[in-house]
């Protein structure tokens, strides 16, 4: 199974925010640290916020913080919020009531849709065995996620993580 890049970035954002809880992180500082466009970063942060994983505060003195304790943030729950669907086969894709059924003569009677549905549930359950706290504790590069200063326009380059550190 393959997760979308947005989900990967969501995990990175959560790690970055968790490791820098004593700093004032902004959308701009996170976007620069992870080399994302501000717009793309904002979309991911909005989904994480709507899912309760991040708290955002606008304006002066605002920023980002975790919406839950790291031990309460389960990786499968994050994936469920971030993924548009887990429709690895056409018949698992979510639809509105007025949309046509999949263009498959076996729709509704094919065992493959049930197998894939069970596989997705097991995949999410497997991810849910791990929390953000587990990821942080077991990661060998967590000190590299610490930002010595939140970037301003002038010093943003000094805190941008290298590709190996961001992965």
């Amino acid at each position: 199974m393959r997760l979308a890049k947005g989900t990967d970035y969501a995990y990175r954002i959560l790690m970055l925010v968790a490791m820098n809880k004593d700093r004032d992180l902004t959308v701009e500082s996170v976007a620069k640290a992870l080399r994302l466009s501000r717009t793309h970063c904002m979309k991911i942060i909005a989904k994480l916020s709507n899912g309760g994983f991040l708290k955002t505060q606008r304006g002066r003195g605002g920023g980002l913080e975790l919406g839950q304790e790291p031990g309460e943030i389960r990786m499968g729950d994050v994936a469920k919020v971030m993924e548009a669907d887990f429709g690895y086969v056409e018949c698992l894709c979510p639809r509105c009531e007025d949309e046509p059924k999949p263009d498959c003569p076996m729709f509704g009677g094919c065992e493959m849709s049930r197998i894939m549905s069970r596989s997705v549930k097991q995949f999410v359950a497997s991810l849910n065995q791990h929390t953000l706290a587990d990821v942080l504790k077991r990661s060998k590069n967590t000190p590299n996620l610490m930002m010595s200063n939140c970037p301003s326009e002038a010093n943003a380059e000094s805190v941008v993580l290298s590709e190996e550190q961001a992965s």
Side-chain angles (χ1 to χ4, degrees):
M1 304 223 164
R2 183 176 188 167
L3 296 173
K5 277 191 172 187
T7 304
D8 180 29
Y9 289 132
Y11 290 142
R12 294 179 198 195
I13 289 168
L14 289 171
M15 291 175 69
L16 190 66
V17 172
M19 290 300 301
N20 292 279
K21 61 184 172 200
D22 297 330
R23 294 183 172 80
D24 296 327
L25 293 181
T26 63
V27 172
E28 289 79 12
S29 64
V30 170
K32 287 184 189 297
L34 296 178
R35 295 191 203 147
L36 297 173
S37 74
R38 183 181 188 281
T39 304
H40 190 58
C41 192
M42 282 179 55
K43 288 178 185 177
I44 295 168
I45 288 171
K47 282 186 175 182
L48 290 170
S49 178
N50 289 338
F53 303 112
L54 282 181
K55 289 181 188 173
T56 60
Q57 179 68 40
R58 291 179 160 214
R60 190 176 186 113
L64 306 170
E65 64 182 66
L66 292 179
Q68 303 171 33
E69 290 298 317
E72 297 171 358
I73 298 175
R74 300 183 319 165
M75 298 293 97
D77 292 341
V78 174
K80 284 195 296 189
V81 165
M82 295 304 300
E83 294 292 316
D85 64 63
F86 281 103
Y88 292 107
V89 290
E90 183 184 14
C91 49
L92 290 181
C93 294
R95 302 183 156 56
C96 296
E97 288 181 21
D98 58 343
E99 287 187 49
K101 298 227 185 281
D103 187 24
C104 175
M106 295 183 228
F107 179 72
C110 175
E111 181 61 18
M112 199 62 211
S113 63
R114 286 183 278 283
I115 290 169
M116 291 304 293
S117 179
R118 281 192 305 268
S119 297
V120 168
K121 288 176 184 171
Q122 289 172 349
F123 178 64
V124 172
S126 177
L127 285 173
N128 270 338
Q129 293 176 5
H130 308 280
T131 66
L132 180 59
D134 298 331
V135 172
L136 293 170
K137 184 171 43 175
R138 294 182 183 137
S139 294
K140 293 182 171 113
N141 68 337
T142 47
N144 296 327
L145 295 174
M146 295 295 290
M147 295 171 62
S148 57
N149 295 314
C150 289
S152 64
E153 294 303 314
N155 70 351
E157 292 77 29
S158 66
V159 295
V160 173
L161 300 176
S162 72
E163 193 62 31
E164 296 113 328
Q165 291 169 328
S167 295

